[in-house]
Amino acid sequence: MSAAAKAAPAKMDPAQRADLFEYLLRLGDDRLVLGHRVSEWCGHAPILEEDIALANIALDLVGQANLLLQLAGTTEGKGRDQDALAYFRETVAFRNVVLVETPNGDFGYTIVRQFHFSVHALLVLEQLQRSRHVDLAGIAAKAYKETRYHVRHSGEWIIRLGDGTEESHARVQRSVNEAWRFTDELCHADDVDRRLAAAGLGVDPSTVRDVWSIQVREVLQTATLTAPEDRPSRP
């Protein structure tokens, strides 16, 4: 028996195991897809230092995806490992939010996309460290440390660009406007999320919506940027 299986709650029934598998796919797919998107900047970032930083963020995200999908495969119990789940599923089987798969656009959009996702991820990971599933809690603790850097890095760039030149301000404001409509999906919860949260295994993402909004808007305000007035809607 694998260590992950030993760590799972002893009385997890088939329905709860299926819920956990779905939940792990969502977490893993978000990071896998975004990691590959960010990696597209390797060799193309505006400065060498940022080229290295984005490469490291991409590696963090793919590394998190690797752990989550590995645990998903163990939970499913059908012999699929992280590579099979990452590379041998049809497109329709992926569970990532739309935001992470949107094209990179210019550097400003990539940074805005990363910031929106990372703030939400950090809030979820903070709670997920207390999951009753020992291995999932351990993955969350490792990812939390990495994601703190992602939030700080992307937030500092938003402020730098927003409060920079007239052109950089206009570009990043446009990026905020473009990305905003995809952000509500980050906080959307369904029955799977709610059941796992009630069981102490997962986190209901809707519970972090207000804090996410406050933290994002604070950084945008510091950057002299304006958050769209309308509440973001699911794509």
Side-chain angles (χ1 to χ4, degrees), residues 56-76:
N56 285 331
I57 289 173
L59 285 171
D60 286 344
L61 291 166
V62 173
Q64 292 170 20
N66 179 69
L67 294 174
L68 289 162
L69 293 178
Q70 181 181 43
L71 186 56
T74 300
T75 301
E76 182 188 36

Side-chain angles (χ1 to χ4, degrees), residues 45-59:
I47 56 176
L48 179 59
E49 181 180 12
E50 190 58 22
D51 202 297
I52 296 171
L54 289 177
N56 285 331
I57 289 173
L59 285 171

Side-chain angles (χ1 to χ4, degrees), residues 125-136:
L125 290 168
E126 183 178 20
Q127 296 184 44
L128 199 56
Q129 294 175 84
R130 298 187 290 275
S131 171
R132 289 177 53 237
H133 196 301
V134 176
D135 274 9
L136 180 53

